Amino acid sequence: MDRIDIPKKAIYRLSIYHRCLQRLVENEQQTVSSTALAKAAGVKPAQLRKDLAYFGQFGTRGLGYPVETLATMIRDVLGREKLQPVVLIGAGNLGSALLRYQGFQKEGFEVVAAFDVDPEGVRARGINVPVFSEKELETRIAQEQVRLAILCVPVNIAQSLANRLVGAGVQGILNFSPVMLDVPAEVVVNNVDLALELEHLSFFVR
Amino acid sequence: MDRIDIPKKAIYRLSIYHRCLQRLVENEQQTVSSTALAKAAGVKPAQLRKDLAYFGQFGTRGLGYPVETLATMIRDVLGREKLQPVVLIGAGNLGSALLRYQGFQKEGFEVVAAFDVDPEGVRARGINVPVFSEKELETRIAQEQVRLAILCVPVNIAQSLANRLVGAGVQGILNFSPVMLDVPAEVVVNNVDLALELEHLSFFVR
DNA sequence: AAGTGTGAAAAGTTTCACAGCG
DNA sequence: CGCTGTGAAACTTTTCACACTT
């Protein structure tokens, strides 16, 4: 597979480009130049062109890129042609906010189930997603063939739940616990550490 | 300033190291080797040593690093000796979850005020942080000399609020809106795009 | 004229491997 | 002997500049 020499960061940017393209589609724009799209995405034009070129030739010289076609190709590359099922573990503060968050649905993900130690308590909070006891985690994930999980549990139990997720067949974990998960090489973990992002700002702000 | 040739990513990792060190302090460990700390932080030992070496010599050969001293030096470098005041703009779903989130406080940040178009509605939800109308944004930020802001507003108004924040003296923005903010060069923006992180996983999961 | 595609140079980052200290 | 500190090598990513197409 020639994915090997594609910069990992280019994949990230692809998502950003896709967002910007969606907005252009809404505005019924037909084509867009690398300069314009790059500006919207916050990158340099040359980088945008190079990123796209990893996947083929989509632009027309002198004209730019066809908005629709480009959006479609990015969806293909990112494996997002169809709705992806996701589960969420730990519906505490952050977890239940994410369950109410519309951004995932909008981008083509469906949170099909949430798990918590206290499913009753979570259901009471007006969450639309079905909430189950964490005991049912393995069976339900296997049943629905879910590959992606969002992990929002306290630090001390994060690793053990990650192990169970992997055992159940999950291949990608979006981890909100501030701890580095130890998982097999074929499983991808993406860490989102909110406090850390704030800390990072501190360094640059005087 | 010799910060110039310190890899930006090293700064990120410093925060991670700090987290791990905090845990060691709790366990009353006196020293730690680069191998052990690197493992906890999810990096290679050589990288850890190199990262620390940018800021001085802290280790003892044959022994390792003094846990306490190292934690203190990282706090110094990151500018986190004392509590940093932060404001939060937009207390919707995500915003109010963040207001309840304990992680920021734990890492030395204090959310001193939140702003929303409907402060009454937000207050009703059992938030401890004082909530004000967004009209008061400029005056209160100036008053409390706040430098950091967490922005959780809808895409369409994110840029205009960013402008107001910058005008009020904010120098760092943790931006949760899926849009690239256009700010003066001296202002730092750190984007956290939740849907994008999930999308990113999609690519690697078959 | 406008704007893509791309090799080659530059910049940035990680890893290696080992000298040197306690 | 164990473990840090570090120069040099290897690798990755970004930027440049321009040939080339419509």
Side-chain angles (χ1 to χ4, degrees):
Chain A
M1 205 171 284
D2 58 358
R3 274 180 184 180
I4 283 162
D5 39 11
I6 295 170
K8 281 183 207 118
K9 290 193 177 176
I11 304 300
Y12 254 103
R13 288 188 299 259
L14 237 43
S15 299
I16 300 176
Y17 304 153
H18 186 248
R19 272 277 173 61
C20 301
L21 287 166
Q22 279 178 305
R23 245 163 257 161
L24 294 177
V25 169
E26 282 162 26
N27 294 359
E28 294 176 33
Q29 237 190 77
Q30 301 292 307
T31 60
V32 65
S33 70
S34 62
T35 314
L37 185 52
K39 193 173 174 191
V43 302
K44 297 239 161 95
Q47 182 159 68
L48 168 59
R49 294 201 299 273
K50 187 139 263 199
D51 284 347
L52 298 179
Y54 287 121
F55 303 97
Q57 305 197 168
F58 303 97
T60 309
R61 292 170 198 227
L63 229 189
Y65 297 91
V67 173
E68 282 272 0
T69 314
L70 195 56
T72 305
M73 102 77 182
I74 294 181
R75 269 194 299 277
D76 279 7
V77 167
L78 293 178
R80 301 240 292 74
E81 327 78 23
K82 57 182 176 219
L83 214 65
Q84 284 241 21
V86 185
V87 293
L88 183 142
I89 326 294
N93 253 328
L94 187 59
S96 48
L98 293 178
L99 287 175
R100 276 187 291 255
Y101 181 58
Q102 298 303 303
F104 295 137
Q105 278 81 337
K106 230 175 180 161
E107 296 297 325
F109 297 97
E110 191 193 356
V111 182
V112 296
F115 299 92
D116 199 278
V117 280
D118 175 22
E120 300 298 336
V122 177
R123 276 183 215 122
R125 292 196 243 161
I127 299 283
N128 282 327
V129 176
V131 185
F132 304 107
S133 158
E134 49 82 35
K135 286 170 195 149
E136 302 183 49
L137 190 148
E138 282 83 356
T139 50
R140 300 224 173 242
I141 287 179
Q143 220 171 70
E144 307 228 29
Q145 303 228 37
V146 180
R147 297 253 172 85
L148 295 173
I150 303 174
L151 190 60
C152 310
V153 301
V155 180
N156 57 312
I157 59 170
Q159 181 64 58
S160 90
L161 277 160
N163 296 345
R164 289 176 61 191
L165 287 171
V166 172
V170 164
Q171 288 174 30
I173 300 176
L174 187 56
N175 174 37
F176 285 84
S177 306
V179 67
M180 291 293 159
L181 301 175
D182 199 2
V183 296
E186 71 274 16
V187 176
V188 186
V189 177
N190 208 347
N191 295 297
V192 177
D193 187 329
L194 301 174
L196 197 134
E197 300 294 336
L198 245 193
E199 271 196 308
H200 190 233
L201 279 181
S202 283
F203 178 78
F204 294 102
V205 174
R206 176 56 14 119
Chain B
M1 205 172 286
D2 58 356
R3 274 179 182 177
I4 281 160
D5 38 11
I6 297 170
K8 281 187 203 113
K9 290 191 174 176
I11 303 300
Y12 253 103
R13 289 188 300 260
L14 236 43
S15 298
I16 300 177
Y17 304 151
H18 186 250
R19 273 276 173 61
C20 301
L21 287 167
Q22 279 178 305
R23 245 163 256 163
L24 294 176
V25 170
E26 282 162 27
N27 294 359
E28 294 178 33
Q29 239 191 73
Q30 301 292 309
T31 60
V32 66
S33 72
S34 63
T35 313
L37 185 52
K39 194 175 175 191
V43 303
K44 299 238 161 93
Q47 182 158 72
L48 168 59
R49 293 201 299 275
K50 187 136 265 203
D51 285 347
L52 297 180
Y54 288 122
F55 302 97
Q57 303 196 168
F58 303 97
T60 309
R61 293 168 198 230
L63 229 190
Y65 297 91
V67 173
E68 282 271 0
T69 314
L70 196 55
T72 305
M73 101 78 181
I74 294 182
R75 271 195 298 279
D76 278 7
V77 168
L78 292 177
R80 303 239 294 68
E81 326 79 23
K82 55 180 180 221
L83 214 66
Q84 282 245 18
V86 185
V87 294
L88 184 144
I89 326 293
N93 252 326
L94 187 59
S96 49
L98 294 178
L99 287 176
R100 277 187 292 255
Y101 180 58
Q102 298 304 303
F104 295 137
Q105 278 83 337
K106 233 181 187 152
E107 296 297 326
F109 297 96
E110 191 194 355
V111 182
V112 294
F115 299 92
D116 200 278
V117 280
D118 174 23
E120 300 298 336
V122 177
R123 277 184 213 124
R125 293 195 241 162
I127 300 283
N128 282 327
V129 176
V131 185
F132 304 107
S133 158
E134 48 81 36
K135 285 169 196 151
E136 300 183 49
L137 191 147
E138 282 83 357
T139 49
R140 299 222 174 243
I141 289 179
Q143 219 169 73
E144 308 228 29
Q145 301 229 37
V146 180
R147 296 255 173 86
L148 295 173
I150 303 173
L151 190 60
C152 309
V153 300
V155 180
N156 56 314
I157 58 171
Q159 180 64 57
S160 88
L161 276 161
N163 295 345
R164 288 177 60 190
L165 287 170
V166 172
V170 164
Q171 287 174 30
I173 300 176
L174 186 56
N175 174 37
F176 286 84
S177 307
V179 67
M180 290 295 159
L181 301 175
D182 199 3
V183 296
E186 71 274 16
V187 176
V188 186
V189 176
N190 208 346
N191 295 296
V192 177
D193 187 330
L194 302 173
L196 197 135
E197 300 294 335
L198 245 193
E199 272 198 307
H200 190 233
L201 279 180
S202 283
F203 178 79
F204 294 102
V205 174
R206 175 57 12 134

